[in-house]
């Protein structure tokens, strides 16, 4: 299968350029203090969610303003959630840059995230992108629910693979699904096509989060822009560690310390090394690949086009990335 690169599709480059302009405009039209707080916030992002909106839409119709505005709203919502995540995680850096909470404090950071959420829905409302608004509202509710569930399961070694899938569906896959559905809906796709592309989004959302969790184990601080092993240090037991702990010997070995919520640097390194050496990371990678393969299979029901091929390439790249 020949993969299509986005850079070979002028319409995608054009659409993403419009998205960048609108993101800058959303910041620049704010008052001086908000502008100072948000300055540089959109530098360096991968824009995966806007790409999904545009590519999903262009599988069913030509690039238009509604797709672009839906893509802008998707990135604003995603960025708002990251701002709030940094507060919850007490993170000082993201993408090797200081977080808003580390510079301005939690109070200002909460309000900055709220501002971005409000700006996203202002755009959707102003341009009467109502169905997409409903997709995003549902996604935000799921994201909050997923984060709450995860917070209650910290240092819980009884967590199962199904438990993990349930909350990553909510906290990550739901927004990616909404992006795909919003793009298709903006293009005038029918309900079957919208639901189909939404299922594609859910599956690559799972693969995306699993890959993120693998990189937290196998990556490096410079590339990730954050400390390696941060998730397990905070008690978030991701898929590689679920597979590791499922082995009876390992469960007993770590049970006492994890159940007490204590994880020093030495134990963290032991867990990371064991997850890699035991094959648990490889199992998690295979699971991510399975979801991508299932997602790509769904796309073969979508009419053939360069945009469908670009979506396939994007899905494959999500699990081959290094950060």
């Amino acid at each position: 299968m020949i993969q299509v690169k986005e850079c070979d599709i002028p319409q995608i480059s054009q659409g993403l350029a419009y998205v960048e302009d609108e993101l800058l405009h959303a910041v620049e039209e704010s008052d001086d203090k908000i502008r100072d707080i948000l300055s540089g916030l959109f530098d360096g992002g991968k824009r995966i969610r806007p790409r999904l909106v545009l590519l999903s839409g262009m599988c069913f119709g030509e690039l238009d303003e509604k797709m672009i505005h839906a893509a802008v709203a998707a990135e604003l919502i995603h960025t708002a959630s990251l701002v709030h995540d940094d507060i919850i995680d007490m993170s000082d850096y993201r993408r090797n840059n200081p977080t808003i909470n580390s510079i301005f404090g939690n109070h200002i950071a909460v309000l900055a995230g709220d501002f971005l959420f409000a700006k996203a829905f202002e755009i959707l409302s102003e341009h009467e992108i109502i169905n997409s608004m409903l997709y995003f509202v549902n996604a935000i509710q799921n994201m909050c629910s997923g984060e709450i569930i995860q917070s209650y399961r910290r240092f819980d070694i009884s967590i199962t693979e199904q438990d993990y899938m349930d909350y990553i569906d909510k906290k990550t896959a739901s927004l990616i699904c909404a992006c795909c559905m919003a793009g298709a809906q903006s293009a005038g796709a029918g309900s079957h096509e919208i639901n189909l592309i939404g299922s594609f989004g859910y599956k690559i959302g799972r693969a995306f989060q699993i890959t993120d969790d693998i990189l937290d184990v196998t990556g490096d601080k410079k590339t990730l822009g954050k400390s390696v092993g941060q998730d397990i240090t905070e008690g978030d037991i991701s898929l590689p560690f679920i597979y590791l702990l499922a082995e009876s010997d390992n469960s007993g070995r770590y049970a006492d310390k994890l159940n007490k919520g204590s994880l020093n640097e030495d134990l963290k390194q032991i867990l990371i090394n064991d997850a890699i050496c035991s094959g648990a990371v490889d199992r998690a990678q295979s699971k991510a690949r399975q979801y991508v393969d299932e997602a790509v299979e769904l796309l073969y029901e979508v009419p053939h086009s360069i945009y469908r091929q670009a979506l396939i390439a994007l899905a494959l790249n999500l699990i081959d990335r290094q950060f």
Side-chain angles (χ1 to χ4, degrees):
M1 178 179 61
I2 299 175
Q3 287 193 30
V4 175
K5 296 180 180 179
E6 288 180 15
C7 59
D8 296 330
I9 308 175
Q11 294 91 333
I12 294 298
S13 299
Q14 182 183 36
L16 288 170
Y18 287 142
V19 169
E20 293 300 318
D21 288 344
E22 289 299 318
L23 288 171
L24 289 175
H25 179 67
V27 173
E28 289 171 355
E29 70 176 3
S30 310
D31 63 43
D32 291 346
K33 183 52 78 173
I34 288 286
R35 193 161 55 245
D36 289 345
I37 293 167
L38 300 180
S39 176
L41 187 61
F42 294 102
D43 294 345
K46 297 184 283 292
R47 304 292 186 263
I48 289 171
R49 289 149 192 86
R51 281 180 157 84
L52 286 168
V53 174
L54 298 180
L55 287 171
S56 296
M58 294 170 75
C59 281
F60 302 102
E62 294 183 1
L63 178 68
D64 63 12
E65 287 191 4
K66 284 195 172 184
M67 277 183 219
I68 292 166
H69 291 307
V72 172
E75 187 66 11
L76 288 169
I77 290 167
H78 170 59
T79 305
S81 72
L82 296 182
V83 171
H84 286 171
D85 283 350
D86 289 337
I87 299 167
I88 294 167
D89 298 336
M90 296 181 286
S91 300
D92 292 330
Y93 288 91
R94 180 176 289 277
R95 300 172 188 147
N96 291 311
N97 293 319
T99 56
I100 290 179
N101 53 293
S102 70
I103 300 171
F104 299 100
N106 289 345
H107 180 77
I108 295 298
V110 169
L111 296 174
D114 290 346
F115 176 86
L116 293 172
F117 278 126
K119 181 59 80 173
F121 287 106
E122 177 189 16
I123 290 169
L124 293 169
S125 177
E126 179 182 348
H127 297 281
E128 299 183 346
I129 312 175
I130 305 303
N131 285 340
S132 294
M133 184 186 297
L134 295 176
Y135 301 146
F136 288 128
V137 166
N138 183 61
I140 291 171
Q141 290 174 339
N142 279 320
M143 290 160 69
C144 293
S145 175
E147 290 290 350
I148 290 170
I149 292 168
Q150 185 175 24
S151 70
Y152 274 100
R153 300 300 299 268
R154 283 181 172 163
F155 295 105
D156 181 356
I157 65 168
S158 70
I159 187 170
T160 66
E161 181 176 346
Q162 187 57 56
D163 294 331
Y164 170 83
M165 294 302 172
D166 287 345
Y167 71 68
I168 71 168
D169 278 353
K170 290 178 180 292
K171 78 168 195 173
T172 302
S174 60
L175 180 57
I176 290 178
C177 169
C179 291
C180 295
M181 294 177 76
Q185 196 279 327
S186 297
S191 59
H192 173 71
E193 287 81 7
I194 292 171
N195 289 329
L196 178 70
I197 208 77
S199 295
F200 163 82
Y202 254 115
K203 289 182 182 295
I204 64 167
R206 282 186 169 189
F208 181 86
Q209 184 60 57
I210 293 169
T211 301
D212 254 14
D213 292 339
I214 291 169
L215 290 173
D216 187 63
V217 178
T218 63
D220 63 82
K221 184 175 182 179
K222 183 177 180 181
T223 304
L224 292 177
K226 64 176 186 176
S227 298
V228 177
Q230 182 172 315
D231 294 342
I232 191 64
T233 300
E234 294 166 358
D236 294 330
I237 301 178
S238 59
L239 193 59
F241 296 112
I242 290 171
Y243 286 150
L244 176 66
L245 293 170
E247 300 175 15
S248 57
D249 289 346
N250 289 333
S251 180
R253 182 180 179 187
Y254 303 123
D256 289 342
K257 292 181 179 179
L258 286 173
N259 279 333
K260 292 177 182 176
S262 65
L263 191 69
N264 59 34
E265 185 65 24
D266 289 341
L267 180 56
K268 182 185 82 170
Q269 289 302 324
I270 291 171
L271 276 164
I272 288 174
N273 290 338
D274 285 356
I276 294 170
C277 295
S278 69
V281 166
D282 291 338
R283 281 187 66 191
Q285 287 174 329
S286 295
K287 181 61 71 173
R289 174 67 65 176
Q290 173 193 324
Y291 285 124
V292 167
D293 289 345
E294 290 175 2
V296 169
E297 190 68 25
L298 287 173
L299 284 185
Y300 290 124
E301 293 187 45
V302 173
H304 177 75
S305 68
I306 55 174
Y307 308 112
R308 187 187 76 174
Q309 295 305 106
L311 260 185
I312 291 172
L314 188 155
L316 294 173
N317 289 336
L318 286 182
I319 58 172
D320 292 333
R321 60 199 166 89
Q322 298 302 312
F323 62 94

